[in-house]
Amino acid sequence: MANIPASAHTTTRVGDSAASCEPPPDPDSHAGADDTGSEVRDEALSWSADEIRALDARQARTASDALLRRLRRLDAASDEYSRVRARLVELNLSLVRFAVRGLKNRAAARDDVLQTGTVGLIKAIDVFDPDRGIAFASFALPTIRGEVKRLFRDTCWAAHVPRRQQELFLATTRAADTLHQQLGREATSAEIAAHLDIAEEEVDYGRDADRAYSVDSLDTPAAEAPGGTAAALADRIGAEEPELDLVDFRESVRPLIAELGRRDQRILKLRFWDGLTQSEIGRRLGLSQMHISRLLNRILTDLREHLDGAAEPERDGATEPQPKVA
């Protein structure tokens, strides 16, 4: 018969149920999890730059969570706080690169954008509360993007924007970031207006300033042309017709030319429509260049006098009103 330890007999006699055989609860039951977190923190603080770059997303997230909890218990003026925060920045630089990826075509230099995004990451690290149950990435991304947008607001306007509109844009951007963290979704214009205690139209007015950040070049391809080439934006923009100012003159001189003789009309056509010289016109008509010169001078003088005569009633219209043509 096997020997049963005395402790087992003692437990059987004292307890009246199976529950009495269970060990009493350990007051330090969370110590194991905390020890695990401490190991992760200590290991993360000792990683080299190459080891950090080799981490996958899950490993970086686990280390960040442990360090963020440690950071909340440290004095912000201590050296350890600075060391833990610096390691958190290194672990989460990928968030900065992700946040600015869609903004790389802006006017600001990419290095400036990344540095500004890193400032936003540091601000997110300083105020993040792990006990709220929000993933750090979800909290940090709006803060990073907001910081970069403020850089654009201050330095990268492609067009002049009134100061009031810039201030509204900054205020609505900050409010949108704050509400996004509180609501877990994009805030509506009405919610932003209520948060800032302004009219919803002012929110829309401030957001319109976003369009002045950058402009496209007129040489940017706008659409594929039928021939297979991309048409530039400049090709789709209307221009002022230089001949438009001559419409009134042509309509005024047309009936006067119709009253000229056939030879005078032909001389005008050869000179001003076909671009021939006086000598070339003379050879075609069997006349000398001097004769053509005199004929042109007479024709143009007559036309000018008729035009001036037609305009004279308009100049005298204040004393003798002219009938209006419907």
Side-chain angles (χ1 to χ4, degrees):
M1 181 174 176
N3 295 325
I4 300 176
S7 59
H9 289 285
T10 302
T11 304
T12 304
R13 288 193 301 269
V14 173
D16 295 331
S17 65
S20 63
C21 298
E22 296 179 356
D26 184 359
D28 297 326
S29 58
H30 295 290
D34 189 66
D35 290 343
T36 302
S38 299
E39 293 176 2
V40 172
R41 289 195 299 269
D42 294 341
E43 185 180 2
L45 291 173
S46 65
W47 284 334
S48 66
D50 291 337
E51 288 174 325
I52 292 176
R53 283 192 292 269
L55 295 176
D56 59 29
R58 183 186 61 80
Q59 292 171 325
R61 184 167 57 252
T62 301
S64 293
D65 291 343
L67 290 175
L68 284 166
R69 293 187 177 280
R70 174 59 179 166
L71 192 70
R72 295 282 71 79
R73 295 195 293 269
L74 296 175
D75 182 1
S78 66
D79 292 338
E80 187 178 0
Y81 184 95
S82 299
R83 189 161 62 97
V84 172
R85 184 173 67 171
R87 182 46 49 94
L88 280 166
V89 171
E90 292 175 316
L91 287 169
N92 291 279
L93 279 177
S94 59
L95 290 177
V96 177
R97 290 190 289 270
F98 176 80
V100 306
R101 185 178 304 167
L103 308 172
K104 62 184 178 182
N105 292 327
R106 300 282 189 165
R110 180 167 176 78
D111 288 344
D112 292 340
V113 174
L114 289 174
Q115 289 177 7
T116 304
T118 303
V119 172
L121 173 62
I122 293 172
K123 290 182 177 180
I125 290 172
D126 285 340
V127 300
F128 178 71
D129 184 1
D131 294 331
R132 290 184 60 188
I134 301 175
F136 177 69
S138 301
F139 178 86
L141 282 174
T143 306
I144 296 170
R145 291 194 180 107
E147 201 69 27
V148 174
K149 288 180 179 180
R150 280 188 284 276
L151 168 70
F152 294 150
R153 178 193 67 100
D154 294 335
T155 63
C156 303
W157 293 101
H160 173 72
V161 175
R163 185 63 186 174
R164 172 58 179 165
Q165 191 173 15
Q166 291 187 28
E167 292 172 350
L168 281 173
F169 174 71
L170 176 61
T172 55
T173 301
R174 287 176 174 171
D177 292 343
T178 300
L179 292 173
H180 184 279
Q181 294 171 3
Q182 294 177 356
L183 303 175
R185 58 172 175 80
E186 294 291 336
T188 65
S189 296
E191 290 170 337
I192 295 175
H195 182 80
L196 297 174
D197 194 21
I198 60 176
E200 190 171 345
E201 291 76 11
E202 289 188 279
V203 175
D204 296 334
Y205 177 65
R207 284 180 158 180
D208 284 343
D210 184 50
R211 303 174 185 175
Y213 275 149
S214 62
V215 294
D216 292 330
S217 169
L218 292 178
D219 296 326
T220 302
E224 195 73 15
T229 59
L233 285 174
D235 297 334
R236 305 178 61 185
I237 298 177
E240 184 176 349
E241 173 57 54
E243 301 292 324
L244 190 61
D245 293 337
L246 298 176
V247 171
D248 290 341
F249 172 76
R250 287 175 175 172
E251 291 303 313
S252 299
V253 80
R254 189 189 304 274
L256 300 178
I257 294 177
E259 295 176 0
L260 296 175
R262 294 187 61 184
R263 187 183 68 173
D264 291 350
Q265 290 185 16
R266 188 178 182 192
I267 291 174
L268 287 177
K269 179 180 181 301
L270 293 173
R271 180 69 185 92
F272 297 105
W273 273 263
D274 297 344
L276 272 61
T277 64
Q278 294 179 5
S279 298
E280 292 171 335
I281 296 172
R283 285 194 295 270
R284 289 200 179 189
L285 300 181
L287 301 173
S288 66
Q289 182 269 332
M290 186 64 70
H291 194 180
I292 295 297
S293 178
R294 288 196 297 268
L295 289 173
L296 274 173
N297 185 58
R298 175 184 60 79
I299 295 170
L300 295 176
T301 299
D302 290 344
L303 291 175
R304 190 177 298 111
E305 290 176 352
H306 281 85
L307 286 174
D308 290 342
E312 190 67 27
E314 296 180 4
R315 290 195 291 269
D316 297 339
T319 57
E320 184 177 351
Q322 300 297 313
K324 294 183 179 179
V325 179

